[in-house]
Structure formats: structure tokens, C-alpha cells
Amino acid sequence: MQQKKLAAAIAAAYGLVFAHAAPARAEVAAVAAVAEAAVTAAPADASGAADSSASLPVAAAAIDASQEVVARVTVSTRRRNETSQSVPTTMSVLDANTLESNRVYRVQDLQQLLPSTTVNYVHARQMSFAVRGLGNNPASDGLEGSVGVYLDNVYLARPGMAAFDTLDIQQLELLRGPQGTLFGKNTTAGVLNITSKQPTFRTENSAQLSIGQQGYAQGKAVLSGAFSDTAAGRVSLYKTHEDGYITNIHNGDKVQGGDRQGVRAQLLLEPNNQLSARLIADYNVEDSNNGTLVFYSAGPSGRFLTQAAAVGGHPVTDPTLRQVNLDAGSHVGVHQGGVSGEVNWKLDNGYKFTSISAYRFWNFMPRNDDGLEVPVVLNVGASTRHRQFTQEFRLATPLGREVESVLGAYYYYQNLDNTSFTVNGPLADRFNATPAGAWSTVSSYGDGHLRVNSYALFAQSIWHLQPDWDLTGGLRATYEDKLARVTRDTPAGAAVSGAALASRNARYGAYNSGDVRLNNLSPSALLTLAYKLDTDVLAFGSVSHGEKSGGINLSVPGAAGVSSLKVDNEKANNLELGIKSNLLGRRAQVNASLFWNEVHGYQNNAYDPVSATSYLTNAGDVRSRGLELDTSLVVARGFTLGANGSYNDVRYSEYKNAPCPAERPGPSCDLSGRAALVNAPRWIGNLSAQYAHALAANIEAYGNVNYAYRGATYGTLDASEYARIPAYSLTNVSAGVKLRNGPTRWDISLWAKNVFDKQYYTSMWNTSPNAYNTVIGTPRQVGLTARADF
């Protein structure tokens, strides 16, 4: 019976992925309904998730209660299984227990647990990851992220492809600094590597339900087990609902909430001890009003408020009220998924061959409001349809040799289409003081297309110079061929002439860029010397070079024309000194690093107030240098304290043609020498405490406290003082009890996020004219989670 249920669930899940259609709204809604039915109809006894105690021993900074030591963390960042403390690379690792105890189920909350990390999030398309202040470049379909995101060894080309709930995650690994000599895609700031739990040959079933304030409700279920001695499967499901925490006073609705749901199916084949194959299919859907921006500042002139009053608009000007006044509101529709296959073959001579093939799709459809309750702009935004295929081959030499190497080849194909649109209402001319009929009731649509072929060869070797000395070297060569075209249709509206026609064409006129080509050769290199001071202390020094390929802007350019569509490579040279240590009989773990990163041609997304559009730019040269610390201490049996933090002095070495803020109007401004990068706080700190105590033979009580601090920072590329994100701190707590009753294990916990209900802002956004909007962080949320493993 177990095998039949598992087979049926896997077949249904794979069917959802393969049956995806073009991103028409009706078709998306139909697929979403199927996914929802699969989630809500799955019987509880046919789903389950492995409890942490039954999972692989990969807890990050968790307690081995029997030995009272910091548990070992197993990673495969060098394409072999080894403890994180033996890898001469700066990294942080979070396991499923850590994510669950801190109620981190969205990637945008990871910055509350990791040093030197920022997740800039508006919605799935306007999302980016930054490490050490580098990488905040959202909302550009023609630009890759400075931080690479991987799911089960598959590169996610769009950062928003990671904007789903953390479902059945084994662990997260954050590597800081340029990467590429082993990972599939070359990046300049770091890598976030997400690993899901594999199918198990031992039956594992569980179901979990969480409820909380703001209408939060989440259900999860996982089913895992064996078909035979050589085949096992796993199916994971989730569904999340949130009412939202911002009130739209126009109609009384709650916004910044919605529904997310997903399914993941896996098949593991191990016909013998030399060959294994893991097949994965997943599908995720979001139907929400995330992306609702709150008014933050009108800048020095207050022009936005004056123009709003002229059309009878009454925006909410106090962001602390957590309110908006919108006639249309915002909406986000996302459906994404893919299939992948990883094959590992251990050859007779000790070599290991790995092949990873993957296809993924991502469709994004928005509706955005103008921030007013009157019809100035009815809808504005850009929809995206993304397809990618990746193929990676690796050959690893046998372990135990004087020189151990990994050689590989990588291919990446991307096909992306987007549609930019603006639908104006009857008050557009009055609001913008344009001639009558110029912009009012005008619709404008433009299309962008991008095709990418990327080829890479890479190699990395570890030379064991002596028992205590290792030298690691790596090289990568990436060649990319990009082809793009940007067009815009003739605007649709009532016929006009003279000044009105000139104004309409200046803003919404037809455009065709023709073919825009970009060819890049991007080398990456790594050299690391590591020395074991003793068995539990590793010191290392590393120099590395990373390059991220150039980009093509898929928006209609301004006065600079076609040439401004292209953005050059981003190049990073990094120097790092680090130490990893286990002290006090492995009761304490102390890791520290010093880093200095020089970036040339830093890529970013800027805002043009004249055309009210975003565009790509090489934002000069950047220097990022600082100190990171990551520690854990087992105080007593079951009681662990943790602390991590970073000091990062990141600033522009040279940036003389930066966009000007509202308080300093002009054609360009000089930000050279200023610590003015977007969302790059100088100080980040996180403290944690975990305690667990056995009350009886089958009863254990536990509690967790997490405190996260982020310093003040600029929210927009123009470094306006009116767009400063204030410093803030958050406190999350949870307490619960674990019970065992025969084969069933229960885990019931009470939790609270943002205990002190702090008002905080996660990102800022330019808006017209010369005003700034913000994304408000989640207010206090108290909830209850119950989980059963059986």
C-alpha cells in the first residue's frame, strides 16, 4: 500500500510539471487549481516529512546532546563530502532545524540568520541577494545576479525563482566571495546553495500545520519510502495563506498577502554501489498582492503630494500606519517549476563521473498601482516568461591522492521574453501637467527578447603539499553569446496632434532596437593556501578573481540610444584570510575572516526620473572590505549559544556619473569615495540561544531565541537622504514540546516573530515624481505549529 500511494503521488506531481502551458491568465489559473487540489486533497496518512532526528546528521551549529559538542556539518561545496570546518572557504550553513525553529520559511528572511547578507525583496521579479554589500540589482530581466542561487545543484537564473516557501529543505549553504571554479555559473559575490532532502529507503511520513496572526496558515506534508531495494521516492507538498498586514483604506482590504503552494516529487535509483540517479520535478504557484509599496517620502520638493492633491488624491503619508489608499491595488501571479536529473557513476579506477541535466521555467505576471485612489495610472509593470536549460559534466579523481582534482564542462541556455506595459487613466494629463489628451487613457506595450548561450570549462585541484598544508587552485573560462531585441508598439489612445502628440511620442513612442548582440569571455580563478595549526584549527589565505558577464537592458532606452542597452562585465578581485577552529573539546566553534574585494564595472539598476523607467548601468568601481565572525558555544547539555556578525566598509572607489538624488538635481552626481551602495549596512549581527531538556523518557521541552540587527543604509542608487533605511533589530522566539507515542512523534510549538512589533523597512524604491516608496517588514506575528511524524 505504501508503495502504491508513493507511486501515485509521484506520478501526479510529475504530471503537474510537464503539463505547464503558456502563461495566459486562464491557463495559469487552471494549473494553479490542479496544484491546489493536489495539496488540499492529499490524505494526511499518505504524506510525511522526515523529522530532524531521522535526517542526515548535517545540523549547522546544533547540539549533539549525547556528546555535548557542536555537531559536525557535512557539505559538498568542493564536490566531495567533507566537514565544513575542513574546507578553506568562508561559508555559513543552516539546517532544517534552524530554519524551522526560527520560522524562516521565506528566502527574504534569511538575512536574519546570516552574516554579510541582504535580501532585497519587493516581489518575485524585484528580488536580489547581496553578500558583503554586493549584488543588489533587482528588476532587470537582462541582468544576472552577483550571488548565484542553486537548488539541488541547478542554477536558478532569475533570483525570483527562489521566492517560494522553503519546502523539505535539508540545508542551505552560503559561500562568500567570487565563485565559479566549481559551481555551474560564474558569480562575483557568492553562492546560495539550497539542498532538499533526498528520498529515503526507510519509510518517513509526517504532516505539519501552522496558524498565526494576519491570517497566516500553512500546511506541509511529505511522503518518503522505498519501492524496492534499489529504488525510493519522495513527495513533498505545501500550501500557505496570508491575509496581509497592510490595510487599503480605499476598500478596507488587507494587502501584502496571498497564497503560495507547491509540490516536489523525487525518484532515487541505486541499482548498485557504483551508480545512482536522482530525478526531481517541482512546481510552485503564487497568487498574491505582494509588492504593495507604501509611501515613504516626497523628497525635498513635495511635488508628488502637490500633484496628487491636484487630482483629488489622498495618499497615506505616514508609513508607520501600515496603510495605503489604492483604487486598483497590486497583484502578483507566478508559476514556475522544472525537472532535473543527476547521475553519479563511480568508475572502477576510483574516478567519479557526474552529469546534471535540468530544464526550468518561470512565468511572472504583475499588476501595479500608482499609489493613489484616483485613476491616474491603472496598471503598470512588466510580465516575464523565462525558460532555461543547463547541462553540467564533472569528472573527479579518486580521493587520497597527493593531488585531487575536479574537471568539468557547463552549458547554459536561456530564452526570455518580457512585456512592459502602461495603462493610463483619465487623470494622467492633469497629474503630470501634460497637454490634454497626451497621456490620459493611453496604453503602451513593449516587448523584450533575450537569448543566451553560455559555455564554460572549469577545473579545481587540491595539492596536499604536506600532512598539514594544502594548496588549492582553480580556473574557469566562460564564453557567452547574447542576442536581444527591444520593441515598443505605437501607443493606443484618442487621436491628438501638436504638443499633445509630441508629448505622447516622447514618452510612449514606437521603438525598435534591432538585434543587439553581446559576446563575453569571462575568466575566473582561485588560489588558496591552507594550514592545519592542529587537528581542530585551520587557517587559510585565498586570492580569487571572478567575472559576471555583461547584460542587455530589455527596456526602451533614453536619449543615449541603443548603445546604452549594453552593460559591460562586472569584475571582482578578492583577498581573504580566515580561520576555522573547534575549541574546548569541540564545545566551542569560532570562525573568522578578513576580506578585501575590489569590483570594477559594478552592475546595477538605476532609475531615470525623466522617463520614469529603470535602466542598467555599470556603477563605477566598488571596494568591499571587512571582518566576519561566526561562533557557537555549547554551554551545557542541551544549551547552545550562537553569534555571527559582520563589519563591512563598502563604498564606491569611483562613480562620477551617478544619478542625482531629489535634493541635488543635475545631470549626474559624483559618489566616489562614499559608502552609498544600495542596501549595504555597515553592521550586521545575529544572536541565538537554543535550549532542550528531557522532561521524561518520551517528552522533551525546548526553546529558541534569535536576535537580528541591521545598520542603517541607503535604499536607492541615487543615495538620497530621503531614502535612508533606518537601523533596526528583530527578535524571534519559539518554545515547544516533543512527544513520542509508539511509532508516532509529535512536535507542538508556540512561536512569535518580531516580538516587540518593530516598524522596519526592507527596501526602498524610486517613484515619480522624485518620491520614494518602501517595503514594510512583517509586524509581530504569533502562531502555533503542530507536526506529526509517523
Side-chain angles (χ1 to χ4, degrees), residues 464-486:
H464 302 293
L465 300 172
Q466 302 206 358
D468 296 331
W469 289 91
D470 282 349
L471 180 65
T472 302
L475 289 172
R476 176 193 181 91
T478 302
Y479 176 78
E480 294 190 316
D481 172 33
K482 299 186 177 183
L483 172 65
R485 177 182 288 268
V486 180

PDB file of all heavy atoms in Angstrom, residues 464-486:
ATOM      1  N   HIS A 464      47.982  18.222  -1.799  1.00  0.00           N
ATOM      2  CA  HIS A 464      48.365  18.001  -0.405  1.00  0.00           C
ATOM      3  C   HIS A 464      49.890  18.095  -0.312  1.00  0.00           C
ATOM      4  O   HIS A 464      50.604  17.091  -0.433  1.00  0.00           O
ATOM      5  CB  HIS A 464      47.856  16.637   0.068  1.00  0.00           C
ATOM      6  CG  HIS A 464      46.360  16.483  -0.044  1.00  0.00           C
ATOM      7  ND1 HIS A 464      45.482  17.205   0.721  1.00  0.00           N
ATOM      8  CD2 HIS A 464      45.601  15.693  -0.854  1.00  0.00           C
ATOM      9  CE1 HIS A 464      44.232  16.874   0.410  1.00  0.00           C
ATOM     10  NE2 HIS A 464      44.291  15.956  -0.553  1.00  0.00           N
ATOM     11  N   LEU A 465      50.367  19.307  -0.071  1.00  0.00           N
ATOM     12  CA  LEU A 465      51.815  19.532  -0.050  1.00  0.00           C
ATOM     13  C   LEU A 465      52.483  18.725   1.045  1.00  0.00           C
ATOM     14  O   LEU A 465      53.512  18.082   0.834  1.00  0.00           O
ATOM     15  CB  LEU A 465      52.096  21.024   0.154  1.00  0.00           C
ATOM     16  CG  LEU A 465      51.530  21.975  -0.913  1.00  0.00           C
ATOM     17  CD1 LEU A 465      51.710  23.409  -0.466  1.00  0.00           C
ATOM     18  CD2 LEU A 465      52.220  21.742  -2.240  1.00  0.00           C
ATOM     19  N   GLN A 466      51.887  18.771   2.219  1.00  0.00           N
ATOM     20  CA  GLN A 466      52.354  18.030   3.384  1.00  0.00           C
ATOM     21  C   GLN A 466      51.126  17.671   4.207  1.00  0.00           C
ATOM     22  O   GLN A 466      50.024  18.166   3.922  1.00  0.00           O
ATOM     23  CB  GLN A 466      53.341  18.875   4.205  1.00  0.00           C
ATOM     24  CG  GLN A 466      54.534  19.327   3.416  1.00  0.00           C
ATOM     25  CD  GLN A 466      55.768  19.583   4.266  1.00  0.00           C
ATOM     26  OE1 GLN A 466      55.766  19.461   5.471  1.00  0.00           O
ATOM     27  NE2 GLN A 466      56.836  19.941   3.574  1.00  0.00           N
ATOM     28  N   PRO A 467      51.252  16.858   5.222  1.00  0.00           N
ATOM     29  CA  PRO A 467      50.068  16.478   6.009  1.00  0.00           C
ATOM     30  C   PRO A 467      49.275  17.679   6.523  1.00  0.00           C
ATOM     31  O   PRO A 467      48.052  17.597   6.664  1.00  0.00           O
ATOM     32  CB  PRO A 467      50.655  15.653   7.147  1.00  0.00           C
ATOM     33  CG  PRO A 467      51.898  15.049   6.567  1.00  0.00           C
ATOM     34  CD  PRO A 467      52.445  16.093   5.641  1.00  0.00           C
ATOM     35  N   ASP A 468      49.957  18.806   6.798  1.00  0.00           N
ATOM     36  CA  ASP A 468      49.272  19.960   7.364  1.00  0.00           C
ATOM     37  C   ASP A 468      49.074  21.098   6.371  1.00  0.00           C
ATOM     38  O   ASP A 468      48.497  22.130   6.721  1.00  0.00           O
ATOM     39  CB  ASP A 468      50.049  20.486   8.577  1.00  0.00           C
ATOM     40  CG  ASP A 468      50.100  19.484   9.708  1.00  0.00           C
ATOM     41  OD1 ASP A 468      49.150  18.681   9.821  1.00  0.00           O
ATOM     42  OD2 ASP A 468      51.087  19.486  10.476  1.00  0.00           O
ATOM     43  N   TRP A 469      49.562  20.945   5.143  1.00  0.00           N
ATOM     44  CA  TRP A 469      49.499  22.022   4.165  1.00  0.00           C
ATOM     45  C   TRP A 469      48.754  21.551   2.908  1.00  0.00           C
ATOM     46  O   TRP A 469      49.046  20.480   2.370  1.00  0.00           O
ATOM     47  CB  TRP A 469      50.897  22.478   3.746  1.00  0.00           C
ATOM     48  CG  TRP A 469      51.642  23.240   4.804  1.00  0.00           C
ATOM     49  CD1 TRP A 469      52.479  22.736   5.750  1.00  0.00           C
ATOM     50  CD2 TRP A 469      51.615  24.659   4.994  1.00  0.00           C
ATOM     51  NE1 TRP A 469      52.993  23.739   6.531  1.00  0.00           N
ATOM     52  CE2 TRP A 469      52.477  24.948   6.092  1.00  0.00           C
ATOM     53  CE3 TRP A 469      50.970  25.719   4.368  1.00  0.00           C
ATOM     54  CZ2 TRP A 469      52.683  26.237   6.559  1.00  0.00           C
ATOM     55  CZ3 TRP A 469      51.175  27.006   4.818  1.00  0.00           C
ATOM     56  CH2 TRP A 469      52.019  27.262   5.903  1.00  0.00           C
ATOM     57  N   ASP A 470      47.797  22.385   2.453  1.00  0.00           N
ATOM     58  CA  ASP A 470      47.066  22.131   1.203  1.00  0.00           C
ATOM     59  C   ASP A 470      47.101  23.383   0.344  1.00  0.00           C
ATOM     60  O   ASP A 470      46.957  24.513   0.848  1.00  0.00           O
ATOM     61  CB  ASP A 470      45.598  21.777   1.477  1.00  0.00           C
ATOM     62  CG  ASP A 470      45.431  20.347   1.945  1.00  0.00           C
ATOM     63  OD1 ASP A 470      46.401  19.571   1.855  1.00  0.00           O
ATOM     64  OD2 ASP A 470      44.329  20.011   2.423  1.00  0.00           O
ATOM     65  N   LEU A 471      47.274  23.172  -0.950  1.00  0.00           N
ATOM     66  CA  LEU A 471      47.208  24.259  -1.909  1.00  0.00           C
ATOM     67  C   LEU A 471      46.100  23.942  -2.905  1.00  0.00           C
ATOM     68  O   LEU A 471      46.103  22.886  -3.540  1.00  0.00           O
ATOM     69  CB  LEU A 471      48.534  24.418  -2.651  1.00  0.00           C
ATOM     70  CG  LEU A 471      48.587  25.537  -3.702  1.00  0.00           C
ATOM     71  CD1 LEU A 471      48.447  26.904  -3.032  1.00  0.00           C
ATOM     72  CD2 LEU A 471      49.891  25.462  -4.503  1.00  0.00           C
ATOM     73  N   THR A 472      45.138  24.841  -3.008  1.00  0.00           N
ATOM     74  CA  THR A 472      44.004  24.655  -3.906  1.00  0.00           C
ATOM     75  C   THR A 472      44.068  25.692  -5.020  1.00  0.00           C
ATOM     76  O   THR A 472      44.241  26.892  -4.767  1.00  0.00           O
ATOM     77  CB  THR A 472      42.670  24.798  -3.153  1.00  0.00           C
ATOM     78  OG1 THR A 472      42.620  23.844  -2.097  1.00  0.00           O
ATOM     79  CG2 THR A 472      41.495  24.569  -4.089  1.00  0.00           C
ATOM     80  N   GLY A 473      43.933  25.236  -6.252  1.00  0.00           N
ATOM     81  CA  GLY A 473      43.915  26.138  -7.394  1.00  0.00           C
ATOM     82  C   GLY A 473      42.777  25.804  -8.323  1.00  0.00           C
ATOM     83  O   GLY A 473      42.432  24.623  -8.503  1.00  0.00           O
ATOM     84  N   GLY A 474      42.164  26.826  -8.898  1.00  0.00           N
ATOM     85  CA  GLY A 474      41.055  26.593  -9.809  1.00  0.00           C
ATOM     86  C   GLY A 474      41.027  27.603 -10.931  1.00  0.00           C
ATOM     87  O   GLY A 474      41.458  28.749 -10.776  1.00  0.00           O
ATOM     88  N   LEU A 475      40.536  27.184 -12.089  1.00  0.00           N
ATOM     89  CA  LEU A 475      40.410  28.046 -13.258  1.00  0.00           C
ATOM     90  C   LEU A 475      39.064  27.780 -13.919  1.00  0.00           C
ATOM     91  O   LEU A 475      38.538  26.656 -13.879  1.00  0.00           O
ATOM     92  CB  LEU A 475      41.530  27.792 -14.268  1.00  0.00           C
ATOM     93  CG  LEU A 475      42.944  28.248 -13.902  1.00  0.00           C
ATOM     94  CD1 LEU A 475      43.935  27.737 -14.937  1.00  0.00           C
ATOM     95  CD2 LEU A 475      43.003  29.779 -13.813  1.00  0.00           C
ATOM     96  N   ARG A 476      38.544  28.820 -14.531  1.00  0.00           N
ATOM     97  CA  ARG A 476      37.299  28.681 -15.284  1.00  0.00           C
ATOM     98  C   ARG A 476      37.333  29.663 -16.449  1.00  0.00           C
ATOM     99  O   ARG A 476      37.769  30.806 -16.310  1.00  0.00           O
ATOM    100  CB  ARG A 476      36.086  28.991 -14.400  1.00  0.00           C
ATOM    101  CG  ARG A 476      34.757  28.955 -15.155  1.00  0.00           C
ATOM    102  CD  ARG A 476      33.641  29.581 -14.328  1.00  0.00           C
ATOM    103  NE  ARG A 476      32.373  29.519 -15.033  1.00  0.00           N
ATOM    104  CZ  ARG A 476      31.490  28.527 -14.922  1.00  0.00           C
ATOM    105  NH1 ARG A 476      31.752  27.520 -14.109  1.00  0.00           N
ATOM    106  NH2 ARG A 476      30.354  28.529 -15.594  1.00  0.00           N
ATOM    107  N   ALA A 477      36.862  29.223 -17.592  1.00  0.00           N
ATOM    108  CA  ALA A 477      36.706  30.095 -18.751  1.00  0.00           C
ATOM    109  C   ALA A 477      35.262  29.994 -19.228  1.00  0.00           C
ATOM    110  O   ALA A 477      34.777  28.892 -19.521  1.00  0.00           O
ATOM    111  CB  ALA A 477      37.664  29.698 -19.870  1.00  0.00           C
ATOM    112  N   THR A 478      34.575  31.134 -19.269  1.00  0.00           N
ATOM    113  CA  THR A 478      33.175  31.176 -19.678  1.00  0.00           C
ATOM    114  C   THR A 478      33.032  32.057 -20.904  1.00  0.00           C
ATOM    115  O   THR A 478      33.493  33.208 -20.906  1.00  0.00           O
ATOM    116  CB  THR A 478      32.283  31.724 -18.548  1.00  0.00           C
ATOM    117  OG1 THR A 478      32.426  30.925 -17.381  1.00  0.00           O
ATOM    118  CG2 THR A 478      30.826  31.750 -18.974  1.00  0.00           C
ATOM    119  N   TYR A 479      32.403  31.543 -21.935  1.00  0.00           N
ATOM    120  CA  TYR A 479      32.098  32.342 -23.120  1.00  0.00           C
ATOM    121  C   TYR A 479      30.582  32.412 -23.264  1.00  0.00           C
ATOM    122  O   TYR A 479      29.890  31.384 -23.223  1.00  0.00           O
ATOM    123  CB  TYR A 479      32.706  31.727 -24.379  1.00  0.00           C
ATOM    124  CG  TYR A 479      32.321  32.493 -25.625  1.00  0.00           C
ATOM    125  CD1 TYR A 479      32.948  33.695 -25.942  1.00  0.00           C
ATOM    126  CD2 TYR A 479      31.312  32.023 -26.463  1.00  0.00           C
ATOM    127  CE1 TYR A 479      32.589  34.410 -27.075  1.00  0.00           C
ATOM    128  CE2 TYR A 479      30.938  32.729 -27.593  1.00  0.00           C
ATOM    129  CZ  TYR A 479      31.581  33.926 -27.897  1.00  0.00           C
ATOM    130  OH  TYR A 479      31.218  34.634 -29.009  1.00  0.00           O
ATOM    131  N   GLU A 480      30.073  33.621 -23.448  1.00  0.00           N
ATOM    132  CA  GLU A 480      28.629  33.799 -23.548  1.00  0.00           C
ATOM    133  C   GLU A 480      28.282  34.621 -24.779  1.00  0.00           C
ATOM    134  O   GLU A 480      28.945  35.626 -25.088  1.00  0.00           O
ATOM    135  CB  GLU A 480      28.084  34.477 -22.288  1.00  0.00           C
ATOM    136  CG  GLU A 480      28.237  33.602 -21.059  1.00  0.00           C
ATOM    137  CD  GLU A 480      27.505  34.133 -19.857  1.00  0.00           C
ATOM    138  OE1 GLU A 480      27.582  35.357 -19.616  1.00  0.00           O
ATOM    139  OE2 GLU A 480      26.894  33.328 -19.145  1.00  0.00           O
ATOM    140  N   ASP A 481      27.241  34.184 -25.440  1.00  0.00           N
ATOM    141  CA  ASP A 481      26.721  34.855 -26.628  1.00  0.00           C
ATOM    142  C   ASP A 481      25.279  35.251 -26.319  1.00  0.00           C
ATOM    143  O   ASP A 481      24.427  34.386 -26.077  1.00  0.00           O
ATOM    144  CB  ASP A 481      26.787  33.917 -27.823  1.00  0.00           C
ATOM    145  CG  ASP A 481      26.082  34.492 -29.043  1.00  0.00           C
ATOM    146  OD1 ASP A 481      26.108  35.714 -29.209  1.00  0.00           O
ATOM    147  OD2 ASP A 481      25.489  33.701 -29.799  1.00  0.00           O
ATOM    148  N   LYS A 482      25.012  36.577 -26.326  1.00  0.00           N
ATOM    149  CA  LYS A 482      23.684  37.075 -26.003  1.00  0.00           C
ATOM    150  C   LYS A 482      23.118  37.843 -27.186  1.00  0.00           C
ATOM    151  O   LYS A 482      23.818  38.633 -27.821  1.00  0.00           O
ATOM    152  CB  LYS A 482      23.729  37.985 -24.768  1.00  0.00           C
ATOM    153  CG  LYS A 482      24.219  37.278 -23.508  1.00  0.00           C
ATOM    154  CD  LYS A 482      24.119  38.154 -22.273  1.00  0.00           C
ATOM    155  CE  LYS A 482      24.549  37.379 -21.036  1.00  0.00           C
ATOM    156  NZ  LYS A 482      24.396  38.170 -19.790  1.00  0.00           N
ATOM    157  N   LEU A 483      21.846  37.612 -27.446  1.00  0.00           N
ATOM    158  CA  LEU A 483      21.139  38.295 -28.522  1.00  0.00           C
ATOM    159  C   LEU A 483      19.830  38.824 -27.955  1.00  0.00           C
ATOM    160  O   LEU A 483      19.070  38.082 -27.323  1.00  0.00           O
ATOM    161  CB  LEU A 483      20.851  37.336 -29.681  1.00  0.00           C
ATOM    162  CG  LEU A 483      19.946  37.876 -30.807  1.00  0.00           C
ATOM    163  CD1 LEU A 483      20.623  39.041 -31.528  1.00  0.00           C
ATOM    164  CD2 LEU A 483      19.590  36.755 -31.778  1.00  0.00           C
ATOM    165  N   ALA A 484      19.564  40.117 -28.173  1.00  0.00           N
ATOM    166  CA  ALA A 484      18.359  40.732 -27.626  1.00  0.00           C
ATOM    167  C   ALA A 484      17.714  41.643 -28.663  1.00  0.00           C
ATOM    168  O   ALA A 484      18.357  42.100 -29.623  1.00  0.00           O
ATOM    169  CB  ALA A 484      18.686  41.515 -26.361  1.00  0.00           C
ATOM    170  N   ARG A 485      16.443  41.904 -28.437  1.00  0.00           N
ATOM    171  CA  ARG A 485      15.712  42.880 -29.242  1.00  0.00           C
ATOM    172  C   ARG A 485      14.673  43.544 -28.336  1.00  0.00           C
ATOM    173  O   ARG A 485      13.997  42.866 -27.542  1.00  0.00           O
ATOM    174  CB  ARG A 485      15.026  42.222 -30.433  1.00  0.00           C
ATOM    175  CG  ARG A 485      14.184  43.198 -31.280  1.00  0.00           C
ATOM    176  CD  ARG A 485      13.481  42.475 -32.412  1.00  0.00           C
ATOM    177  NE  ARG A 485      14.411  42.069 -33.457  1.00  0.00           N
ATOM    178  CZ  ARG A 485      14.703  42.795 -34.530  1.00  0.00           C
ATOM    179  NH1 ARG A 485      14.129  43.975 -34.700  1.00  0.00           N
ATOM    180  NH2 ARG A 485      15.530  42.347 -35.445  1.00  0.00           N
ATOM    181  N   VAL A 486      14.558  44.858 -28.443  1.00  0.00           N
ATOM    182  CA  VAL A 486      13.604  45.633 -27.659  1.00  0.00           C
ATOM    183  C   VAL A 486      12.708  46.410 -28.612  1.00  0.00           C
ATOM    184  O   VAL A 486      13.204  47.137 -29.490  1.00  0.00           O
ATOM    185  CB  VAL A 486      14.321  46.611 -26.705  1.00  0.00           C
ATOM    186  CG1 VAL A 486      13.302  47.410 -25.907  1.00  0.00           C
ATOM    187  CG2 VAL A 486      15.257  45.863 -25.775  1.00  0.00           C
TER     188      VAL A 486
END
